[in-house]
Amino acid sequence: MAAQFGRRLRKGAATTAVAAVAVAALSASQAPGVNDHGRQTAADATPSPEASASDGSATGNSPYYTDLPPLKSPNPSPSTGPGPGGTGATEAGIPATVLDAYKKAETTLREAKPGCNLPWQLLAAIGRVESGQARGGQVRADGTTIKPILGPQLDGNGFALIKDTDDGAYDGNSSYDQAVGPMQFIPSTWAWAGRDGNGDGKKDPNNIYDAALAAGHYLCRNNWDLSQQDDLDRAILSYNQSREYLNLVMRWLEYYRKGTHEVPDGTGTLPGNRSDDGAGASPTPTTPGSTPGTTPPGSPTTGPDRPKPGKPGKPGAGTPAPKPPTTPPGTPSTPPTTTPTPTDTVDHLEDAGTAKLTAMAGDTFGKRISTRAETEAGKAVAKVRVRFTIVGDTDTTFTGGESVATVATNSSGVAVAPALQAGEKTGAVTVRATVVGRAVPGLDYKATVTERAADTLARTDDAALTCAPGGEFATQVEVKATYNGAVADGVAATATLVTSADDATANDKGPYFKDADGKTVRTLTGLKTDAKGLLKLPKLYADDTTGNFLLRITTAGGAALTVELAVAAAETSSPSASASPSA
């Protein structure tokens, strides 16, 4: 049934019109509505207006497979059905290793970013659209694809223009970038989004475990909650900035949510149609014995070498008819003109009014880094990708937990980095701005993380703190720390039984604490307020010295509180008067 909708969709107006009709037809026939979890389907979802304004994309907006899911709901039976290129149960089946990678990525993200609510079915939907589940599961036991999966070179010829950013390290192309691996990351995105999903110490875009985990982190950045439709739209559109892509991924997401099962590696169903209509593919005949419109196992399913499938029943579909020459032999060819890209015109980066960057550990920086891309003459350059990288030994990240973010410059040539989230390591933090695809000097920004602080301390009760000599104080001292009126959590504190109000040295007599060995201690360090800003001190004891004593509690940030302690002997009743002598 999938073949019924397997017509090639072209970019531009034709793509939009055909995709819209196809999706609408599929929506009407399936009548999905809203499922029992209250999720909207693609037909019902209205992407948020700002969703299409994402900065950059994971794939560089590379071509993708446009095959729609079958009209019939997936059959979750374990039957493997036809092999690669077939239909039936394999439509819902996902190759075992690929499915395992998606589920492991979901488990990892559930712990690392619980607020994201990433479903593994979303990774499966994107993996289906991007690479046909790694060419139907053509992967080794460790998850690495048997052959590299490469998209067409992004040379501006029908695609985006992205000049080489990795010296061919990932895609083997030192002139232009190409999307790489089962999740189709472009090298410049993989450079910061790459993850080690199978624990082998490497980040390989051609490994489905690494690629699936990287895709999960990519979709979970910016504090997106994927259980919310608006955030889900934004995340999918950030992967590929196409509304047709969003609708297609949503279709496969809902399809997989209704049920799926694993099939043996290498037996998954291969897609037959791409959004670029196979542009750039060599029109070679289909392999003998194969069905037109399918690809033999192990053959590349994306990239310049992918053959166009023919249309059944149409003569000559596999081999195009030769075209007559349009230029007489011997005519000198006109050298192609090259129009410089915006990136080519960038001469340097300038600070765009970034204010002083300071935040307390654990807090979000109130100001954001702004960088302006300029030509040699100082003119602003729009639509240039600027990469912000946090360098050095620090646990400060961008909001969402990433240490790298790529943002496109706006019409004023300005790129604004995501907000910085201060970690627990205090001191200077460096954020470096560079132009993606252009070797111009980077621009470093300095940020400062200060230790957590409190400006006010107060006791949580007003009970008198008294004790008899050699006894134990009945009440433990508890204080609450605040900073600018807000709870001050995780603030370091020190408690000392001081000699006097004018002498902060530890007293050598009077009340004391006990250490783990029961020894007398009159200064406690390494204390910290809890999540509510509370600090409860250990029990206090008294030696045989009577009198009034002072306990001083101080915190980072200058907050201090002095508490009075009294050690006094219990009062004894006066003896009763002796009886008067009898008369």
Side-chain angles (χ1 to χ4, degrees):
M1 188 67 77
Q4 181 179 349
F5 295 92
R7 296 171 182 167
R8 297 182 179 280
L9 307 181
R10 298 181 182 273
K11 287 188 175 180
T15 303
T16 304
V18 175
V21 170
V23 171
L26 184 58
S27 302
S29 60
Q30 287 183 298
V34 179
N35 65 18
D36 57 352
H37 290 84
R39 300 187 183 97
Q40 289 179 294
T41 64
D44 304 312
T46 302
S48 58
E50 58 267 44
S52 60
S54 172
D55 296 316
S57 71
T59 68
N61 298 325
S62 293
Y64 53 89
Y65 288 106
T66 58
D67 294 41
L68 293 168
L71 292 175
K72 186 177 179 181
S73 295
N75 177 10
S77 69
S79 171
T80 58
T87 59
T90 50
E91 287 285 2
I94 298 176
T97 300
V98 178
L99 180 60
D100 184 55
Y102 296 150
K103 291 185 175 180
K104 284 187 175 178
E106 180 197 56
T107 300
T108 300
L109 267 299
R110 189 183 300 131
E111 180 178 345
K113 296 183 179 180
C116 177
N117 296 303
L118 171 80
W120 65 260
Q121 292 91 340
L122 176 58
L123 297 176
I126 291 176
R128 168 75 190 199
V129 171
E130 292 295 344
S131 69
Q133 311 297 17
R135 298 195 195 109
Q138 295 289 326
V139 296
R140 300 187 179 93
D142 68 349
T144 303
T145 57
I146 295 174
K147 294 182 179 180
I149 302 176
L150 296 174
Q153 68 177 15
L154 300 173
D155 57 6
N157 183 21
F159 311 112
L161 175 57
I162 303 179
K163 293 187 177 181
D164 176 63
T165 61
D166 65 331
D167 292 327
Y170 294 118
D171 54 15
N173 189 334
S174 58
S175 298
Y176 300 96
D177 273 352
Q178 295 175 245
V180 181
M183 302 305 279
Q184 289 289 277
F185 280 97
I186 54 174
S188 60
T189 302
W190 183 262
W192 63 266
R195 293 292 190 279
D196 177 14
N198 62 352
D200 64 356
K202 297 184 295 183
K203 299 175 183 178
D204 182 2
N206 290 299
N207 182 281
I208 185 59
Y209 287 100
D210 295 358
L213 184 58
H217 275 280
Y218 185 89
L219 294 165
C220 286
R221 72 197 193 287
N222 298 330
N223 283 336
W224 282 329
D225 178 358
L226 303 186
S227 66
Q228 301 298 316
Q229 189 65 51
D230 283 351
D231 281 358
L232 181 59
D233 292 344
R234 293 185 182 95
I236 296 172
L237 283 169
S238 77
Y239 213 89
N240 189 308
Q241 296 173 342
S242 161
R243 199 54 58 102
E244 289 74 38
Y245 182 88
L246 167 64
N247 291 335
L248 184 61
V249 169
M250 282 298 299
R251 275 294 155 206
W252 281 105
L253 170 59
E254 292 302 321
Y255 183 77
Y256 286 132
R257 274 174 169 163
K258 292 174 183 175
T260 188
H261 59 280
E262 72 175 44
V263 297
D265 289 344
T267 65
T269 304
L270 301 179
N273 305 286
R274 281 198 323 178
S275 59
D276 64 336
D277 197 24
S282 300
T284 55
T286 56
T287 304
S290 65
T291 304
T294 65
T295 307
S299 300
T301 60
T302 62
D305 298 327
R306 178 174 176 263
K308 289 185 181 182
K311 293 184 180 180
K314 196 169 184 178
T319 307
K323 294 182 179 180
T326 57
T327 305
T331 302
S333 59
T334 302
T337 58
T338 302
T339 303
T341 67
T343 301
D344 293 333
T345 67
V346 177
D347 176 74
H348 59 274
L349 293 175
E350 288 286 343
D351 176 41
T354 302
K356 184 178 180 181
L357 300 168
T358 302
M360 193 182 300
D363 288 351
T364 301
F365 282 75
K367 305 295 182 181
R368 296 165 68 179
I369 295 172
S370 297
T371 298
R372 176 181 161 98
E374 297 183 353
T375 64
E376 185 176 5
K379 184 179 178 181
V381 185
K383 298 182 180 179
V384 171
R385 291 183 299 153
V386 176
R387 180 180 297 140
F388 296 95
T389 306
I390 300 173
V391 299
D393 182 18
T394 179
D395 55 354
T396 291
T397 64
F398 291 113
T399 303
E402 307 295 346
S403 61
V404 181
T406 302
V407 181
T409 57
N410 60 21
S411 58
S412 299
V414 175
V416 180
L420 285 167
Q421 178 68 41
E424 295 302 321
K425 291 183 179 179
T426 59
V429 175
T430 299
V431 180
R432 183 165 298 149
T434 55
V435 179
V436 176
R438 181 75 170 158
V440 298
L443 187 60
D444 284 355
Y445 293 85
K446 298 297 182 182
T448 302
V449 178
T450 61
E451 62 181 330
R452 293 172 182 257
D455 55 17
T456 304
L457 281 175
R459 285 189 63 193
T460 57
D461 62 47
D462 56 1
L465 298 168
T466 61
C467 180
E472 168 184 314
F473 285 82
T475 301
Q476 288 179 248
V477 176
E478 183 180 65
V479 297
K480 182 173 183 177
T482 56
Y483 186 81
N484 290 336
V487 167
D489 61 314
V491 178
T494 299
T496 305
L497 292 150
V498 298
T499 301
S500 68
D502 300 324
D503 188 350
T505 59
N507 207 337
D508 59 358
K509 58 185 177 181
Y512 61 90
F513 300 105
K514 290 182 180 180
D515 65 12
D517 298 324
K519 296 180 179 179
T520 298
V521 175
R522 289 191 168 89
T523 297
L524 296 178
T525 59
L527 304 174
K528 277 192 176 182
T529 59
D530 65 14
K532 297 180 179 179
L534 299 176
L535 174 62
K536 192 169 188 177
L537 299 181
K539 285 185 176 181
L540 277 163
Y541 302 88
D543 60 15
D544 293 334
T545 308
T546 59
N548 294 325
F549 301 89
L550 298 178
L551 168 65
R552 178 167 295 166
I553 306 169
T554 58
T555 70
L561 177 68
T562 300
V563 180
E564 293 186 0
L565 308 172
V567 179
E571 293 184 3
T572 57
S573 58
S574 58
S576 58
S578 56
S580 58
S582 56

